[in-house]
Amino acid sequence: MSRPAPHPVTAPVRRDDPPPTDAWLVHRRARLVWGSVLVAVLVGPSVIWMLRTGPQPLLHQMSVLTGLLALSAMVIVAVLPSRVRGLSGALGLETLLGLHRRLGLLAGALVALHLAFVVADQPERVGLLVPLAAPGRGQAATAATVAIGVLLALAVRGVRSGTHEVWRWVHLSLAALVVGASALHVFWLNNLVTDAVMGPVLTGLGLLLIAVLVLRWGARAGAGEFRVHVVRPESPTVSTLVLARRGRHAGPWFRPGQFAWLRLEQMSVEEHPFTIASSAADGGRVEFTVRHTGDFASRLRELQRGDPVWVDGPYGSFTPDAVPSTGLVLIAGGVGITPMMSMLRTAADRGDRRPYRLVVHARDRADLLFRAELAHLRTCLDLQVTEVLRRPAPNWGGATGPIDTALLAAVLTDLEEPARRLDYFICGRPQLVTDVLDTLGALGVPDDRVHTEQFAQV
Ligand SMILES: Cc1cc2nc3c(=O)[nH]c(=O)nc-3n(C[C@H](O)[C@H](O)[C@H](O)COP(=O)(O)OP(=O)(O)OC[C@H]3O[C@@H](n4cnc5c(N)ncnc54)[C@H](O)[C@@H]3O)c2cc1C
């Protein structure tokens, strides 16, 4: 494909933007509300303590404040990945995971500062750190500190390929130890919990965490039960699992681009996230297109008609439903095409007239998925598909190489109407997403029009 010179593709001329839709306003409000709730939980207990106690000696004040902030941060860190559906729909998976990581590091830093201020305030308290000689409150503090150190070191190191399940259980066990030991430390300290105001505040923080965890682990039985209708091969390494909902058909229940967690036994602890690839207009039958990377994905390929699968979802905010776009640019790497297929299938079912530009990045021709269906969708949508191969055969006549500014400029040449508001959806390996983000940045695309989903560790 010929590549014109790069030029800015979306000058942010706000007065040309289409008016916000109701869905966009609801989404913005939900983000604001959830953001405020998180900030309130993070700083609320510390602010209440300061208002209640008034000015205190600096070192004492800092020791209590760092402890309270660390406690609040731990509660939020535990809540963020706990599948609170409203939170996931408002902030999206990537924001939640980014906050989870950053607040986890903040909690670790606050615990270290707390220790430093406690000892600086009263140096004789250093004895609390001697594990066997220390009273219960000191032992609990030491256990929490060691556990959070190990937890953060393992989290920063990341998961080695094929060890995700082991890593996940070590992570969850250490997190439970950190939160449990911190709670015991505060309880045995017996000063804040007996205070007429701080006692109920800390109890509220604890009850919030327990409620979220009970919903997260206790509501597993309520996940939707589906039965395998068929497993359809798409390529030598990719298959589509077609599932039919058991019982009453509840109508549309997800938005295009969202994902769900799949389990093969109702109470199994092993579950993996997959994007719902089918049209959101049909909630009774859903499809997941899966690359057989490891054990779990390979087991999905072996399923037989009638086998049960439990679907916990929908989650995430990687969806065009909430954005008031006049056109969509979808950029997918490999099996990252699954959310794009849901968006395009839904658009076709809804009779959407907006322009769609799909860029598919794949290793080679055999890796290009859904070619026949995309050709059909082009007859009922304003859809253009650009296929880009990383390792093309000599007879490949299409685009090759990375998704750079010249390629994107060429893809967008016919979308020059002044009132456009294009939104960009990118999904694939973390490296592809990072590269495309750089390219869009170089083209002057505003950040708030770019939406990403990475099939990385959750
Ligand atoms: C939001 C989201 C949507 C996804 N959608 C799709 C999709 O539509 N199609 C598709 O083929 N893949 C998708 N994935 C990736 C898919 O979840 C993993 O490939 C799958 O969990 C691998 O499990 P495994 O046992 O088969 O392979 P393993 O060999 O155990 O793992 C292979 C790699 O997958 C990742 N992984 C393993 N377990 C998990 C887990 N529980 N959660 C997250 N990542 C894990 C790890 O990075 C690991 O290195 C998605 C991932 C996310 C986060």
CSV table of all heavy atoms in Angstrom, one decimal, residues 31 80 87-88 91-102 259 316-318 426-430 433-434 437 450-458:
chain,number,residue,atom,x,y,z
A,31,ARG,N,-17.7,7.7,36.2
A,31,ARG,CA,-16.3,7.8,36.5
A,31,ARG,C,-16.0,8.8,37.6
A,31,ARG,O,-15.2,8.6,38.5
A,31,ARG,CB,-15.5,8.3,35.2
A,31,ARG,CG,-15.3,7.3,34.2
A,31,ARG,CD,-14.7,7.9,32.9
A,31,ARG,NE,-13.2,8.1,33.2
A,31,ARG,CZ,-12.3,7.2,32.9
A,31,ARG,NH1,-12.6,6.1,32.5
A,31,ARG,NH2,-11.0,7.5,33.1
A,80,LEU,N,-9.9,-2.9,44.1
A,80,LEU,CA,-9.8,-2.5,42.7
A,80,LEU,C,-9.9,-3.7,41.7
A,80,LEU,O,-10.7,-3.7,40.8
A,80,LEU,CB,-8.5,-1.8,42.4
A,80,LEU,CG,-8.5,-0.3,42.9
A,80,LEU,CD1,-7.1,0.3,42.7
A,80,LEU,CD2,-9.5,0.6,42.2
A,87,LEU,N,-17.6,-0.4,39.0
A,87,LEU,CA,-16.3,0.2,39.0
A,87,LEU,C,-15.5,-0.2,37.8
A,87,LEU,O,-14.9,0.7,37.1
A,87,LEU,CB,-15.5,-0.3,40.3
A,87,LEU,CG,-14.2,0.2,40.6
A,87,LEU,CD1,-14.2,1.7,40.8
A,87,LEU,CD2,-13.6,-0.4,41.9
A,88,SER,N,-15.6,-1.4,37.4
A,88,SER,CA,-15.0,-1.9,36.2
A,88,SER,C,-15.5,-1.2,34.9
A,88,SER,O,-14.8,-0.8,34.0
A,88,SER,CB,-15.1,-3.5,36.1
A,88,SER,OG,-14.7,-3.9,34.8
A,91,LEU,N,-14.3,2.7,35.1
A,91,LEU,CA,-12.9,3.0,35.0
A,91,LEU,C,-12.1,2.1,34.0
A,91,LEU,O,-11.1,2.6,33.4
A,91,LEU,CB,-12.2,2.9,36.3
A,91,LEU,CG,-12.7,3.9,37.4
A,91,LEU,CD1,-11.8,3.8,38.6
A,91,LEU,CD2,-12.8,5.3,36.9
A,92,GLY,N,-12.6,0.9,33.7
A,92,GLY,CA,-12.0,0.1,32.7
A,92,GLY,C,-10.8,-0.7,33.4
A,92,GLY,O,-10.2,-0.3,34.3
A,93,LEU,N,-10.5,-1.9,32.7
A,93,LEU,CA,-9.5,-2.8,33.3
A,93,LEU,C,-8.1,-2.1,33.4
A,93,LEU,O,-7.5,-2.3,34.4
A,93,LEU,CB,-9.4,-4.0,32.4
A,93,LEU,CG,-8.4,-5.1,32.8
A,93,LEU,CD1,-8.9,-5.7,34.1
A,93,LEU,CD2,-8.3,-6.1,31.7
A,94,GLU,N,-7.7,-1.4,32.4
A,94,GLU,CA,-6.3,-0.8,32.4
A,94,GLU,C,-6.2,0.2,33.5
A,94,GLU,O,-5.2,0.2,34.2
A,94,GLU,CB,-6.0,-0.2,31.1
A,94,GLU,CG,-6.1,-1.3,30.0
A,94,GLU,CD,-5.0,-1.2,29.0
A,94,GLU,OE1,-4.4,-0.2,28.8
A,94,GLU,OE2,-4.8,-2.3,28.4
A,95,THR,N,-7.2,1.1,33.7
A,95,THR,CA,-7.1,2.1,34.7
A,95,THR,C,-7.1,1.4,36.1
A,95,THR,O,-6.3,1.7,37.0
A,95,THR,CB,-8.3,3.1,34.7
A,95,THR,OG1,-8.3,3.6,33.3
A,95,THR,CG2,-8.2,4.2,35.7
A,96,LEU,N,-8.0,0.4,36.3
A,96,LEU,CA,-8.0,-0.3,37.6
A,96,LEU,C,-6.7,-1.0,37.9
A,96,LEU,O,-6.2,-0.9,39.0
A,96,LEU,CB,-9.1,-1.4,37.5
A,96,LEU,CG,-10.6,-0.9,37.5
A,96,LEU,CD1,-11.6,-2.0,37.6
A,96,LEU,CD2,-10.8,0.1,38.7
A,97,LEU,N,-6.1,-1.7,36.9
A,97,LEU,CA,-4.9,-2.4,37.2
A,97,LEU,C,-3.7,-1.4,37.4
A,97,LEU,O,-2.9,-1.6,38.2
A,97,LEU,CB,-4.5,-3.3,36.0
A,97,LEU,CG,-5.4,-4.6,35.9
A,97,LEU,CD1,-5.0,-5.4,34.7
A,97,LEU,CD2,-5.4,-5.4,37.2
A,98,GLY,N,-3.7,-0.3,36.6
A,98,GLY,CA,-2.7,0.7,36.8
A,98,GLY,C,-2.8,1.3,38.3
A,98,GLY,O,-1.8,1.5,39.0
A,99,LEU,N,-4.0,1.6,38.7
A,99,LEU,CA,-4.2,2.1,40.1
A,99,LEU,C,-3.8,1.1,41.1
A,99,LEU,O,-3.2,1.4,42.1
A,99,LEU,CB,-5.7,2.5,40.3
A,99,LEU,CG,-6.2,3.9,39.7
A,99,LEU,CD1,-7.7,4.0,39.9
A,99,LEU,CD2,-5.4,5.0,40.5
A,100,HIS,N,-4.2,-0.1,40.8
A,100,HIS,CA,-3.9,-1.3,41.8
A,100,HIS,C,-2.4,-1.3,42.0
A,100,HIS,O,-1.9,-1.4,43.1
A,100,HIS,CB,-4.4,-2.6,41.1
A,100,HIS,CG,-4.0,-3.8,41.9
A,100,HIS,ND1,-4.6,-4.2,43.1
A,100,HIS,CD2,-3.1,-4.8,41.6
A,100,HIS,CE1,-4.1,-5.3,43.5
A,100,HIS,NE2,-3.2,-5.7,42.6
A,101,ARG,N,-1.6,-1.2,40.9
A,101,ARG,CA,-0.1,-1.3,41.0
A,101,ARG,C,0.4,-0.1,41.7
A,101,ARG,O,1.2,-0.2,42.6
A,101,ARG,CB,0.5,-1.4,39.6
A,101,ARG,CG,0.2,-2.7,39.0
A,101,ARG,CD,1.0,-3.0,37.7
A,101,ARG,NE,0.4,-4.1,37.0
A,101,ARG,CZ,-0.3,-4.1,35.9
A,101,ARG,NH1,-0.5,-3.0,35.3
A,101,ARG,NH2,-0.8,-5.2,35.4
A,102,ARG,N,0.0,1.1,41.3
A,102,ARG,CA,0.5,2.4,41.9
A,102,ARG,C,0.2,2.5,43.3
A,102,ARG,O,1.0,2.8,44.2
A,102,ARG,CB,0.1,3.6,41.1
A,102,ARG,CG,0.9,3.8,39.8
A,102,ARG,CD,0.7,5.1,39.2
A,102,ARG,NE,-0.6,5.2,38.6
A,102,ARG,CZ,-0.9,4.9,37.3
A,102,ARG,NH1,0.0,4.4,36.6
A,102,ARG,NH2,-2.1,5.0,36.8
A,259,PHE,N,-15.3,-7.9,28.3
A,259,PHE,CA,-14.8,-9.3,28.5
A,259,PHE,C,-15.5,-10.0,29.7
A,259,PHE,O,-16.2,-9.3,30.4
A,259,PHE,CB,-13.3,-9.3,28.7
A,259,PHE,CG,-12.8,-8.7,30.0
A,259,PHE,CD1,-12.6,-9.6,31.0
A,259,PHE,CD2,-12.6,-7.4,30.1
A,259,PHE,CE1,-12.1,-9.1,32.3
A,259,PHE,CE2,-12.2,-6.9,31.4
A,259,PHE,CZ,-11.9,-7.7,32.4
A,316,GLY,N,-15.2,-4.3,32.2
A,316,GLY,CA,-14.3,-3.5,31.3
A,316,GLY,C,-15.1,-2.3,30.7
A,316,GLY,O,-16.4,-2.4,30.7
A,317,SER,N,-14.3,-1.4,30.2
A,317,SER,CA,-15.0,-0.2,29.6
A,317,SER,C,-14.4,0.0,28.2
A,317,SER,O,-14.4,1.1,27.7
A,317,SER,CB,-14.8,1.1,30.4
A,317,SER,OG,-13.4,1.4,30.5
A,318,PHE,N,-13.8,-1.0,27.6
A,318,PHE,CA,-13.2,-0.9,26.3
A,318,PHE,C,-14.4,-1.1,25.3
A,318,PHE,O,-14.5,-2.1,24.6
A,318,PHE,CB,-12.2,-2.0,26.1
A,318,PHE,CG,-11.4,-1.9,24.8
A,318,PHE,CD1,-10.5,-0.9,24.6
A,318,PHE,CD2,-11.5,-2.9,23.8
A,318,PHE,CE1,-9.8,-0.8,23.4
A,318,PHE,CE2,-10.8,-2.9,22.7
A,318,PHE,CZ,-9.9,-1.8,22.5
A,426,ILE,N,-7.5,0.3,20.5
A,426,ILE,CA,-6.3,-0.6,20.2
A,426,ILE,C,-6.3,-1.8,21.1
A,426,ILE,O,-6.5,-1.6,22.3
A,426,ILE,CB,-5.0,0.2,20.5
A,426,ILE,CG1,-5.1,1.6,19.9
A,426,ILE,CG2,-3.8,-0.5,19.9
A,426,ILE,CD1,-4.0,2.5,20.5
A,427,CYS,N,-6.1,-2.9,20.5
A,427,CYS,CA,-6.1,-4.2,21.4
A,427,CYS,C,-5.0,-5.1,20.8
A,427,CYS,O,-5.0,-5.4,19.6
A,427,CYS,CB,-7.4,-4.8,21.4
A,427,CYS,SG,-7.5,-6.3,22.4
A,428,GLY,N,-4.2,-5.7,21.7
A,428,GLY,CA,-3.3,-6.7,21.3
A,428,GLY,C,-2.2,-6.8,22.4
A,428,GLY,O,-2.4,-6.5,23.5
A,429,ARG,N,-1.0,-7.3,21.9
A,429,ARG,CA,0.1,-7.5,22.9
A,429,ARG,C,0.5,-6.1,23.4
A,429,ARG,O,0.4,-5.1,22.7
A,429,ARG,CB,1.3,-8.0,22.1
A,429,ARG,CG,1.3,-9.4,21.5
A,429,ARG,CD,2.5,-9.7,20.7
A,429,ARG,NE,2.5,-8.9,19.4
A,429,ARG,CZ,3.4,-8.0,19.1
A,429,ARG,NH1,4.4,-7.7,19.9
A,429,ARG,NH2,3.3,-7.4,18.0
A,430,PRO,N,1.1,-6.1,24.7
A,430,PRO,CA,1.5,-4.8,25.2
A,430,PRO,C,2.4,-4.0,24.3
A,430,PRO,O,2.3,-2.8,24.2
A,430,PRO,CB,2.2,-5.2,26.5
A,430,PRO,CG,1.5,-6.5,26.9
A,430,PRO,CD,1.2,-7.2,25.6
A,433,VAL,N,0.5,-2.3,21.5
A,433,VAL,CA,-0.3,-1.2,22.1
A,433,VAL,C,0.6,0.0,22.3
A,433,VAL,O,0.2,1.1,21.9
A,433,VAL,CB,-1.1,-1.6,23.4
A,433,VAL,CG1,-1.8,-0.5,24.0
A,433,VAL,CG2,-2.1,-2.7,23.0
A,434,THR,N,1.7,-0.2,22.9
A,434,THR,CA,2.7,0.9,23.2
A,434,THR,C,3.1,1.6,21.9
A,434,THR,O,3.1,2.8,21.8
A,434,THR,CB,3.9,0.4,24.0
A,434,THR,OG1,3.4,-0.4,25.1
A,434,THR,CG2,4.8,1.5,24.5
A,437,LEU,N,0.3,3.6,20.4
A,437,LEU,CA,0.1,4.8,21.2
A,437,LEU,C,1.1,5.9,20.8
A,437,LEU,O,0.8,7.1,20.7
A,437,LEU,CB,0.2,4.5,22.7
A,437,LEU,CG,-1.0,3.8,23.3
A,437,LEU,CD1,-0.7,3.5,24.8
A,437,LEU,CD2,-2.3,4.7,23.2
A,450,VAL,N,-8.3,7.9,22.6
A,450,VAL,CA,-7.6,6.6,22.4
A,450,VAL,C,-8.0,5.6,23.6
A,450,VAL,O,-7.9,6.0,24.7
A,450,VAL,CB,-6.1,6.8,22.4
A,450,VAL,CG1,-5.4,5.5,22.1
A,450,VAL,CG2,-5.7,7.8,21.3
A,451,HIS,N,-8.4,4.5,23.2
A,451,HIS,CA,-8.9,3.5,24.2
A,451,HIS,C,-8.1,2.2,24.0
A,451,HIS,O,-7.9,1.8,22.8
A,451,HIS,CB,-10.4,3.2,24.0
A,451,HIS,CG,-11.2,4.4,23.9
A,451,HIS,ND1,-11.7,5.1,24.9
A,451,HIS,CD2,-11.4,5.2,22.8
A,451,HIS,CE1,-12.4,6.2,24.5
A,451,HIS,NE2,-12.2,6.3,23.2
A,452,THR,N,-7.5,1.6,25.1
A,452,THR,CA,-6.7,0.4,24.9
A,452,THR,C,-7.1,-0.7,25.7
A,452,THR,O,-7.7,-0.6,26.8
A,452,THR,CB,-5.2,0.8,25.2
A,452,THR,OG1,-5.1,1.2,26.6
A,452,THR,CG2,-4.7,1.9,24.3
A,453,GLU,N,-6.8,-1.9,25.3
A,453,GLU,CA,-7.0,-3.1,26.1
A,453,GLU,C,-5.8,-4.1,25.8
A,453,GLU,O,-5.5,-4.3,24.6
A,453,GLU,CB,-8.3,-3.9,25.7
A,453,GLU,CG,-8.6,-5.0,26.5
A,453,GLU,CD,-9.7,-4.7,27.6
A,453,GLU,OE1,-9.4,-3.9,28.5
A,453,GLU,OE2,-10.8,-5.2,27.5
A,454,GLN,N,-5.1,-4.5,26.8
A,454,GLN,CA,-4.0,-5.4,26.6
A,454,GLN,C,-4.3,-6.8,27.1
A,454,GLN,O,-4.8,-6.9,28.2
A,454,GLN,CB,-2.8,-4.9,27.3
A,454,GLN,CG,-2.4,-3.5,26.8
A,454,GLN,CD,-1.2,-3.0,27.5
A,454,GLN,OE1,-0.2,-3.7,27.7
A,454,GLN,NE2,-1.1,-1.7,27.7
A,455,PHE,N,-4.0,-7.8,26.3
A,455,PHE,CA,-4.3,-9.2,26.7
A,455,PHE,C,-3.1,-9.6,27.6
A,455,PHE,O,-2.4,-10.6,27.3
A,455,PHE,CB,-4.4,-10.1,25.6
A,455,PHE,CG,-5.7,-10.0,24.8
A,455,PHE,CD1,-6.0,-10.7,23.7
A,455,PHE,CD2,-6.7,-9.1,25.3
A,455,PHE,CE1,-7.2,-10.6,23.1
A,455,PHE,CE2,-7.9,-8.9,24.6
A,455,PHE,CZ,-8.1,-9.7,23.5
A,456,ALA,N,-2.9,-8.8,28.7
A,456,ALA,CA,-1.7,-9.1,29.5
A,456,ALA,C,-2.2,-9.7,30.9
A,456,ALA,O,-3.4,-9.8,31.1
A,456,ALA,CB,-0.9,-7.9,29.8
A,457,GLN,N,-1.3,-9.9,31.8
A,457,GLN,CA,-1.6,-10.4,33.0
A,457,GLN,C,-2.7,-9.6,33.8
A,457,GLN,O,-2.6,-8.4,33.8
A,457,GLN,CB,-0.3,-10.5,33.8
A,457,GLN,CG,-0.3,-10.6,35.2
A,457,GLN,CD,1.1,-10.2,35.8
A,457,GLN,OE1,2.0,-10.1,35.0
A,457,GLN,NE2,1.1,-10.0,37.0
A,458,VAL,N,-3.6,-10.3,34.5
A,458,VAL,CA,-4.7,-9.7,35.3
A,458,VAL,C,-4.5,-10.1,36.7
A,458,VAL,O,-4.4,-11.3,37.0
A,458,VAL,CB,-6.1,-10.1,34.8
A,458,VAL,CG1,-7.1,-9.4,35.7
A,458,VAL,CG2,-6.2,-9.7,33.3
